[in-house]
């Protein structure tokens, strides 16, 4: 039996309405423009719900079979591009349910028993976000692999290490790559930690207070790959911290990628000339024929802005929202979709650039010796060999740097006599520590930059990644 509906009221909830929504009501209310993206999750959730309803005897086995067949047909329809999404039906949930009833009649109208769109959307969105997390975590792992491979190749490739972007101490390209491997590994861990907390099923929380029907929430939770049902129905429909955590993890990862991107921009600048990107990962200029622009790196850097914004957006939407569901929460999705899509691009572009970069080892080695970069090694020598307190050694070295600067030479360019004018006890062996190669080789403290450390760390990474 179908309920007559002579007016244009909403067929899913219009019973108590005499008229349909105004155009502006429909326009501001509809989410189908973006939530259709969750159609797979919606169908999956409905299949689990229907199977459970039949299992506990709330609907008949025949109805469940009809629902299952109907939803499978709808999935095909959507897949084939033949499904007509309607704004009047607001969202993905009502579009699919309406189509189901259109196709299978009465049984379709029983699907929404013991369920609300509130727990339905919370479930769909968790499923969608969980898939996104898995995909992104896999991409982060791929990036780590790319970085470790470059580190292995360049464990002994000397380059300048900077603080304040000023020459500080020589390091190696391999050590630098492994620094990012550490960050991206933590990013992946953060994403997987968030996934573990996300993985509870709100389905069956119903509108907000649960339901009087004898549903089996453990069954649906299990069918959908969750660790179990959420423990409080108000929390189940009203919380979005799983999405916040996703956005936070995405923003932090994007921020790390942005730093590497910034370095690639710097390194590819001809004044640095440390690395070259191939044609496939750069662009030219329509007016300046000589240009080779690192647009991919710039966009990785630039897209971080929106990902940080998406996190702020959701935090702001939920802040001050009384329990439980309010339509404000419909604003939770676009930022998450956007961050997922853009972080996917950024990770892919970064992995590609890391694999592609061709370091100019001669340029990097030359730059590593600039800016008195072995001054710390000189101070350490004074401490070790002349037993000067470090603070005094720092002062003596500062005077030697000033002297070299005055003479227009680097530290190894000072003669022994010139050095002795500052500190008479300095001997010839000081020159052994003043080259970038000696400097990096000496830094064997755990986590330090010495090529042998980097090689050992690469071996550790390979074990971890195997
Ligand atoms: N499209 C809605 C959303 O994304 C679904 C839930 C609607 N619930 C409601 N009580 N109107 O949040």
């Amino acid at each position: 039996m179908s309920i007559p509906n002579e007016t244009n009221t909403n067929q899913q909830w219009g019973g108590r309405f005499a008229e349909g929504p105004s155009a502006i009501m429909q326009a501001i209310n509809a989410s189908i423009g973006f939530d259709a993206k969750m159609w797979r999750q919606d169908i999956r959730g409905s299949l689990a719900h229907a199977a459970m309803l039949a299992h506990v005897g709330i609907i008949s086995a025949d109805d469940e079979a009809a629902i299952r067949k109907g939803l499978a047909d709808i999935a095909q329809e959507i897949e084939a591009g033949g499904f007509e999404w309607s704004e009047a039906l607001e969202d993905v949930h009502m579009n699919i349910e309406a189509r189901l009833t259109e196709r299978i009649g009465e049984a379709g109208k029983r699907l929404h028993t013991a369920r609300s769109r509130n727990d339905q959307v919370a479930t769909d969105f968790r499923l969608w976000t969980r898939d996104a997390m898995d995909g992104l975590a896999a991409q982060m792992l791929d990036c780590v692999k790319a970085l470790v491979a470059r580190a292995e190749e360049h464990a002994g490739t000397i380059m300048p290490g900077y603080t304040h972007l000023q020459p500080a101490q020589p390091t190696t390209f391999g050590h630098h790559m492994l620094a990012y491997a550490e960050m991206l590994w933590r990013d992946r861990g953060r994403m997987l930690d968030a996934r573990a907390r996300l993985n509870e099923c709100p389905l069956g929380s119903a509108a907000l207070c649960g339901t009087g029907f004898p549903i089996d929430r453990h069954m649906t939770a299990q069918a959908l790959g969750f660790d179990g049902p959420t423990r409080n129905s108000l929390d189940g429909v009203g919380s979005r911290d799983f999405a916040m955590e996703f956005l936070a993890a995405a923003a932090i990862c994007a921020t790390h990628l942005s730093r590497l991107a910034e370095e690639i921009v710097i390194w590819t600048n001809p004044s640095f000339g440390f690395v070259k990107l191939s044609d496939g990962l750069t662009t030219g200029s329509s007016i300046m024929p000589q240009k080779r622009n690192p647009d991919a790196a710039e966009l990785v850097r630039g897209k971080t802005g929106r990902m940080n914004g998406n996190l702020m957006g959701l935090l702001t939407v939920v802040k001050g929202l009384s329990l439980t569901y309010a339509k404000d929460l419909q604003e939770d999705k676009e930022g998450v979709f956007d961050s997922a899509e853009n972080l996917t691009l950024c990770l892919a572009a970064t992995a590609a650039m890391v694999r592609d970069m061709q370091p100019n080892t001669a340029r990097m080695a030359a730059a590593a010796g600039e800016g008195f970069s072995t001054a710390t090694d000189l101070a350490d020598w004074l401490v070790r060999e002349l037993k000067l307190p470090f603070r005094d050694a720092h002062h003596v070295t500062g005077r030697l740097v000033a002297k070299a600067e005055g003479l227009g030479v680097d530290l190894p360019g000072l003669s022994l006599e010139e050095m002795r004018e500052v500190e008479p006890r300095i001997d010839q062996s000081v020159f052994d520590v003043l080259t970038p190669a000696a400097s990096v080789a000496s830094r064997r403290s755990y986590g330090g930059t010495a090529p042998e450390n980097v090689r050992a760390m690469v071996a550790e990474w390979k074990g971890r990644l195997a």
Side-chain angles (χ1 to χ4, degrees):
M1 183 194 76
S2 82
I3 300 158
N5 185 359
E6 268 91 55
T7 66
N8 65 341
T9 62
N10 186 294
Q11 45 175 302
Q12 315 299 111
W13 48 251
R16 61 108 76 208
F17 286 77
E19 281 176 36
S22 66
I24 185 58
M25 183 62 233
Q26 181 167 310
I28 195 172
N29 203 32
S31 54
I32 191 61
F34 50 87
D35 67 14
K37 207 187 257 305
M38 302 195 302
W39 69 265
R40 281 195 178 79
Q41 290 73 17
D42 195 70
I43 287 180
R44 197 175 161 202
S46 288
L47 286 170
H49 183 64
M52 181 277 293
L53 290 178
H55 181 79
V56 300
I58 297 172
I59 62 171
S60 70
D62 285 351
D63 281 349
E64 195 262 334
I67 289 170
R68 202 165 356 106
K69 164 96 175 51
L71 288 173
D73 291 343
I74 289 172
Q76 270 187 11
E77 221 169 85
I78 299 173
E79 200 94 65
F83 191 97
E84 263 186 54
W85 302 103
S86 144
E87 195 188 65
L89 289 167
E90 271 184 55
D91 56 26
V92 64
H93 324 293
M94 297 209 294
N95 266 273
I96 291 178
E97 193 194 313
R99 181 73 182 124
L100 181 68
T101 300
E102 217 170 82
R103 292 188 74 114
I104 68 169
E106 197 78 5
K109 292 197 267 171
R110 297 191 193 281
L111 173 62
H112 213 52
T113 316
R115 176 177 90 168
S116 150
R117 271 189 295 154
N118 295 349
D119 58 337
Q120 193 180 353
V121 72
T123 304
D124 292 2
F125 194 29
R126 280 187 194 234
L127 288 171
W128 194 95
T129 306
R130 191 176 70 186
D131 285 347
M133 286 171 161
D134 288 341
L136 290 167
Q139 278 192 285
M140 291 173 197
L141 187 66
D142 180 57
C143 252
V144 170
K145 286 180 178 164
L147 289 159
V148 169
R150 296 321 294 270
E152 180 168 39
E153 198 183 325
H154 290 286
T157 300
I158 293 170
M159 71 180 288
Y162 299 108
T163 60
H164 313 263
L165 196 55
Q166 302 295 318
Q169 294 172 351
T171 184
T172 70
F173 193 63
H175 200 49
H176 206 110
M177 292 293 102
L178 287 190
Y180 283 105
E182 296 286 345
M183 291 176 236
L184 277 156
W185 184 255
R186 287 194 297 276
D187 291 337
R188 175 176 172 274
R190 242 183 300 277
M191 204 48 105
L192 296 177
D193 289 347
R195 186 200 197 278
R197 268 184 299 280
L198 166 149
N199 208 30
E200 292 178 340
C201 186
L203 192 60
S205 300
L208 74 164
C209 286
T211 174
F213 289 102
I215 59 171
D216 183 347
R217 291 192 58 208
H218 290 86
M219 181 178 167
T220 42
Q222 198 188 9
L224 295 171
F226 289 106
D227 296 329
T230 52
R231 287 178 297 278
N232 180 295
S233 62
L234 306 177
D235 172 56
V237 298
S239 294
R240 292 294 183 272
D241 50 285
F242 68 89
M244 294 171 194
E245 279 200 79
F246 168 77
L247 290 171
I252 293 170
C253 179
T255 299
H256 287 154
L257 299 180
S258 179
R259 294 185 77 172
L260 176 53
E262 165 69 1
E263 300 210 271
I264 292 173
V265 169
I266 293 171
W267 294 340
T268 53
N269 178 304
S271 303
F272 276 77
F274 290 179
V275 308
K276 200 180 157 208
L277 287 172
S278 58
D279 291 358
L281 287 169
T282 47
T283 59
S285 158
S286 55
I287 173 170
M288 297 165 283
Q290 85 286 7
K291 289 282 264 188
R292 175 191 279 280
N293 296 327
D295 290 34
E298 292 162 55
L299 283 162
V300 168
R301 190 178 57 185
K303 281 175 180 295
T304 304
R306 65 160 80 198
M307 287 187 250
N308 292 351
N310 290 334
L311 171 60
M312 277 319 120
L314 183 60
L315 290 171
T316 309
V317 164
V318 179
K319 122 172 232 314
L321 206 61
S322 66
L323 292 186
T324 53
Y325 181 88
K327 203 61 175 262
D328 309 46
L329 289 180
Q330 183 165 282
E331 290 292 311
D332 59 357
K333 287 170 213 61
E334 285 168 287
V336 167
F337 296 159
D338 183 74
S339 283
E341 191 178 310
N342 283 289
L343 189 55
T344 298
L345 283 170
C346 288
L347 283 163
T350 301
M353 287 189 287
V354 167
R355 293 194 164 100
D356 178 75
M357 285 190 285
Q358 305 137 49
N360 184 333
T361 55
R363 238 20 242 193
M364 287 200 279
E370 287 166 10
F372 313 104
S373 64
T374 53
T376 314
D377 301 270
L378 174 52
D380 290 349
W381 185 91
L382 295 168
V383 169
R384 228 173 20 247
E385 304 301 323
L386 305 186
K387 310 295 175 218
L388 290 190
F390 181 77
R391 196 46 61 206
D392 295 344
H394 185 285
H395 190 76
V396 170
T397 307
R399 289 180 57 205
L400 287 163
V401 167
K403 192 175 190 80
E405 196 167 35
L407 294 167
V409 296
D410 55 16
L411 282 174
L414 287 173
S415 69
L416 188 55
E417 290 63 42
E418 284 159 349
M419 288 202 189
R420 282 180 167 162
E421 283 163 23
V422 175
E423 169 50 67
R425 288 174 295 163
I426 293 179
D427 64 45
Q428 188 63 35
S429 72
V430 75
F431 290 100
D432 295 344
V433 303
L434 296 184
T435 64
S439 174
V440 296
S442 74
R443 291 193 152 62
R444 288 187 302 266
S445 57
Y446 184 80
T449 205
E452 66 178 84
N453 281 30
V454 174
R455 282 187 196 101
M457 211 46 96
V458 164
E460 226 179 281
W461 270 112
K462 285 170 132 181
R464 191 173 299 146
L465 298 172

